[in-house]
Amino acid sequence: MNTVTGFASATIGNVACGFDILGFAIREPGDEVTLTLLDDPRGELPVSITSIEGDGGALPRDARKNTSSFVVLKFLEYLRSTKGIEFNGHIELELKKNLPLSSGMGSSAASAAAALVAANRLFGDPCTKMELVHFAIEGERVACGSAHADNAAPAVLGNFVLIRSYNPLDIITIPPPADLYCTLAHPHIELRTAYARSVLPRTISLKMATEQWGNVGALITGLLTSDYGLIGRSLVDVVAEPKRAPLIPGFFEVKEAALSAGALGCSIAGSGPSIFAFSSSREIATKVGNAMEQAFSSMPDALEADIWISPICRDGARIID
Amino acid sequence: MNTVTGFASATIGNVACGFDILGFAIREPGDEVTLTLLDDPRGELPVSITSIEGDGGALPRDARKNTSSFVVLKFLEYLRSTKGIEFNGHIELELKKNLPLSSGMGSSAASAAAALVAANRLFGDPCTKMELVHFAIEGERVACGSAHADNAAPAVLGNFVLIRSYNPLDIITIPPPADLYCTLAHPHIELRTAYARSVLPRTISLKMATEQWGNVGALITGLLTSDYGLIGRSLVDVVAEPKRAPLIPGFFEVKEAALSAGALGCSIAGSGPSIFAFSSSREIATKVGNAMEQAFSSMPDALEADIWISPICRDGARIID
């Protein structure tokens, strides 16, 4: 018997102007997946879920439908077909969910990434992290119906991740500036990705598109040259944020509070409802977090919000036990 | 009496995916502007054009209408209003145009930039190059009706230049990878910027826009990390190139020839008709140039084309005499 626990942290997709092509990982919070290898087969599938904590019973227990076990099944298929590793035993999976569902924090991607590094370790790390990204993306299809990579890739790889193309998959890792801190505010409401996607326009003006890709180019430049001022000026989303902000009660007040407290920039985390801000030190990021929490709680319909302060995660999904 | 000659080289706007926000300068060819300072006023304006060579008589001789003299007038106004420098003499301007008009090679921007560095030197360099960029952009309004910066800024500053925003103007210089070479092919036809702009769509699908900004982010990453493969993969323009390519006879054959000869990527220079390709050495760039010239000349209606091979210009507009 062999037991391994993997951990993968929250990730934030889009990053203002980088709609659908950019994401990054923070260091905490994150999901934990413990895999236990049994030598003998058990049941129909080579993987079964023995426990899930922290989801309030919302996630499927069927190993084919839960993201964390689904990606392990895909991983085992790949080992057989590509690496010539035949597995005739059984894997028990325990999932400890620390990330809220439908939060814009990459909850499903974190579970998938944690499960994948654990599975990879059980077999002696036969796959590279970039190989694991492919399975994590497949997991997103199970979790939310479309195979997006802007949470899945940073959940596995850490850092900022740019998805240049899906066909073929072309994923580029961008290391973060040393003093870049993220403040993440998660108000206690849920917002379904599919609904947040339905409010987006199908076409945009060329002028607006040009403005957006000017900011994308500038944001990447800011990240790669540690130009914090440029990062701040580039965190502008003229496409998705104006449509999605009305779905998040208090968005404008919270953003204003973050900027007033010294944040470089602030926008919606993924498709929301969480809101992220960047700062150039932990001290400022902490002040920003207090200001964001205060802004959520002082609305007419006060919202409770969880606040996390974190540097950018550089190592991605990892073994913790 | 005091005489100074400025030089500014050809620039290439758009750079495939970077429509309207990206440009770069090559080292040659370029325009030359010689300014002669006379102590006494002469005529109504403080600047007059005494000669233009190389334009076939196409450019205006009126100092208010010619880009090169217009930007010097703007520069003098700025010296008076902002720097407290009153000029009561006269400046004679000689323009030697080496760049073809309506070629996609930033011809008007080169004349403006050359004039501006010369004028600045005449007065002891009171302005920074970034200040000069503002006048060069104003010159584009006179030359082609809109104040675009994707030729004007690199003509003055050299390197790659990203225009994040026009209001306020936010211009970011990106140094080129050491071994990046440009092959520029200029077929002997003219294509008016205004016409090439009229064929563009006013709206594009969000999917297409997302693909474009994924490539913009990747191209900037490739440039800043000297990842030549990534630069090549990112030189994709799904927005303007498909609409403008049919305006350039032989575009697809020339692009195919460039790529087959080893170019990293190839697209339309500015709004055309010139075509540029990037290579990772001078040797490859030279082969690419031969292949592009051959492709133009072997079309049913053979086109002559000038070919230039050049590294990226790092110093921008400069004094040569």
Side-chain angles (χ1 to χ4, degrees):
Chain A
M1 203 181 83
N2 195 347
T3 295
V4 171
T5 298
F7 171 89
S9 55
T11 52
I12 291 162
N14 294 346
V15 201
C17 49
F19 175 76
D20 264 6
I21 60 128
L22 197 62
F24 66 94
I26 54 179
R27 286 196 63 81
E28 51 188 10
D31 286 355
E32 292 171 32
V33 172
T34 301
L35 300 182
T36 301
L37 191 68
L38 307 176
D39 290 336
D40 297 319
R42 183 177 301 189
E44 187 195 345
L45 294 170
V47 181
S48 60
I49 298 175
T50 52
S51 82
I52 305 183
E53 276 178 49
D55 71 328
L59 293 176
R61 265 60 183 169
D62 179 337
R64 276 167 296 213
K65 292 182 181 164
N66 184 292
T67 308
S68 60
S69 44
F70 174 83
V71 297
V72 178
L73 289 168
K74 288 281 162 191
F75 169 82
L76 292 173
E77 279 174 33
Y78 180 80
L79 285 195
R80 184 168 50 245
S81 65
T82 309
K83 310 271 181 189
I85 300 174
E86 196 76 42
F87 174 58
N88 295 311
H90 188 80
I91 294 173
E92 288 181 344
L93 185 152
E94 298 166 63
L95 169 59
K96 192 168 162 199
K97 275 219 79 74
N98 297 313
L99 298 187
L101 308 179
S102 297
S103 60
M105 294 167 63
S107 174
S108 56
S111 297
L116 284 164
V117 288
N120 201 32
R121 178 58 54 88
L122 278 182
F123 289 88
D125 291 327
C127 291
T128 63
K129 277 199 158 181
M130 198 58 91
E131 283 177 291
L132 300 185
V133 167
H134 289 256
F135 312 123
I137 294 172
E138 283 300 306
E140 293 292 77
R141 197 193 300 278
V142 173
C144 56
S146 66
H148 274 92
D150 51 349
N151 292 109
V156 175
L157 301 169
N159 299 284
F160 282 81
V161 174
L162 173 70
I163 303 111
R164 189 192 68 80
S165 146
Y166 278 89
N167 190 16
L169 192 63
D170 192 358
I171 281 179
I172 302 126
T173 301
I174 296 171
D179 294 320
L180 191 67
Y181 281 79
C182 176
T183 305
L184 184 60
H186 168 243
H188 291 181
I189 53 171
E190 284 196 11
L191 183 54
R192 289 260 160 209
T193 302
Y195 177 61
R197 197 160 270 277
S198 73
V199 303
L200 297 178
R202 284 174 177 270
T203 61
I204 60 175
S205 71
L206 179 56
K207 188 170 175 296
M208 185 184 277
T210 305
E211 194 176 337
Q212 192 90 347
W213 64 62
N215 280 308
V216 168
L219 176 56
I220 299 294
T221 306
L223 292 172
L224 283 170
T225 62
S226 296
D227 183 335
Y228 295 94
L230 183 56
I231 291 169
R233 299 200 300 283
S234 312
L235 283 175
V236 177
D237 174 9
V238 297
V239 173
E241 186 181 298
K243 301 291 181 186
R244 286 172 168 175
L247 310 181
I248 305 169
F251 174 78
F252 295 107
E253 292 82 353
V254 170
K255 178 170 179 169
E256 179 55 39
L259 296 174
S260 296
L264 299 166
C266 177
S267 189
I268 301 169
S271 57
S274 295
I275 301 174
F276 80 97
F278 281 144
S279 299
S280 56
S281 74
R282 184 182 281 279
E283 190 189 350
I284 300 172
T286 305
K287 279 186 199 165
V288 167
N290 293 338
M292 292 169 86
E293 188 173 20
Q294 176 71 25
F296 268 125
S297 69
S298 54
M299 290 193 302
D301 294 312
L303 273 179
E304 271 191 72
D306 305 315
I307 304 287
W308 290 280
I309 315 292
S310 173
I312 311 304
C313 172
R314 286 168 177 271
D315 39 8
R318 57 198 180 274
I319 302 299
I320 55 169
D321 201 4
Chain B
M1 202 182 85
N2 195 347
T3 295
V4 171
T5 298
F7 171 90
S9 55
T11 52
I12 291 163
N14 293 345
V15 201
C17 49
F19 176 75
D20 265 6
I21 60 126
L22 197 61
F24 66 94
I26 54 178
R27 285 196 63 80
E28 51 189 10
D31 287 354
E32 292 171 32
V33 172
T34 301
L35 300 183
T36 301
L37 191 67
L38 307 176
D39 289 338
D40 298 319
R42 184 176 300 189
E44 186 195 345
L45 294 171
V47 181
S48 60
I49 297 175
T50 52
S51 82
I52 305 183
E53 276 177 50
D55 71 328
L59 292 176
R61 265 60 184 170
D62 179 339
R64 278 167 295 212
K65 293 182 180 162
N66 184 291
T67 307
S68 59
S69 44
F70 174 83
V71 297
V72 178
L73 289 169
K74 287 282 162 190
F75 170 82
L76 292 174
E77 278 174 33
Y78 180 80
L79 286 195
R80 185 169 50 245
S81 65
T82 309
K83 309 271 180 187
I85 299 174
E86 197 75 42
F87 175 58
N88 296 311
H90 188 80
I91 293 173
E92 288 181 345
L93 184 153
E94 299 166 64
L95 169 60
K96 192 169 164 197
K97 275 220 78 74
N98 297 312
L99 298 186
L101 308 179
S102 297
S103 59
M105 295 168 61
S107 174
S108 56
S111 297
L116 284 164
V117 287
N120 201 32
R121 178 59 54 88
L122 279 183
F123 290 88
D125 290 329
C127 291
T128 63
K129 277 199 159 180
M130 198 58 92
E131 283 177 290
L132 300 184
V133 167
H134 288 255
F135 312 123
I137 293 172
E138 282 300 305
E140 293 292 77
R141 196 193 302 279
V142 173
C144 56
S146 66
H148 275 92
D150 51 349
N151 292 110
V156 174
L157 301 169
N159 299 285
F160 282 82
V161 175
L162 173 70
I163 302 110
R164 189 193 67 80
S165 147
Y166 278 89
N167 189 16
L169 193 63
D170 192 358
I171 281 179
I172 302 127
T173 301
I174 297 171
D179 295 320
L180 191 67
Y181 281 78
C182 176
T183 305
L184 183 61
H186 168 242
H188 291 182
I189 52 170
E190 284 195 13
L191 183 54
R192 289 261 160 208
T193 302
Y195 178 59
R197 197 160 271 277
S198 72
V199 304
L200 297 178
R202 282 172 178 274
T203 61
I204 60 175
S205 70
L206 180 55
K207 188 170 175 295
M208 186 184 277
T210 304
E211 193 176 337
Q212 191 92 346
W213 63 63
N215 281 308
V216 168
L219 176 56
I220 299 292
T221 307
L223 292 172
L224 283 170
T225 62
S226 296
D227 183 336
Y228 295 96
L230 183 55
I231 291 170
R233 299 199 301 281
S234 311
L235 282 175
V236 177
D237 174 9
V238 297
V239 173
E241 187 181 297
K243 301 291 181 185
R244 286 171 168 174
L247 309 181
I248 305 169
F251 173 77
F252 295 106
E253 292 83 352
V254 171
K255 179 171 178 167
E256 179 54 39
L259 296 174
S260 296
L264 299 166
C266 176
S267 188
I268 301 169
S271 56
S274 296
I275 301 174
F276 79 97
F278 281 144
S279 299
S280 57
S281 74
R282 184 182 282 279
E283 189 189 349
I284 299 171
T286 305
K287 279 185 198 163
V288 166
N290 294 338
M292 292 170 85
E293 187 173 20
Q294 176 71 25
F296 268 126
S297 69
S298 53
M299 291 192 302
D301 294 312
L303 271 179
E304 271 190 70
D306 304 314
I307 304 288
W308 290 280
I309 315 294
S310 173
I312 311 304
C313 172
R314 287 170 176 270
D315 39 8
R318 56 199 180 273
I319 302 298
I320 55 168
D321 201 5

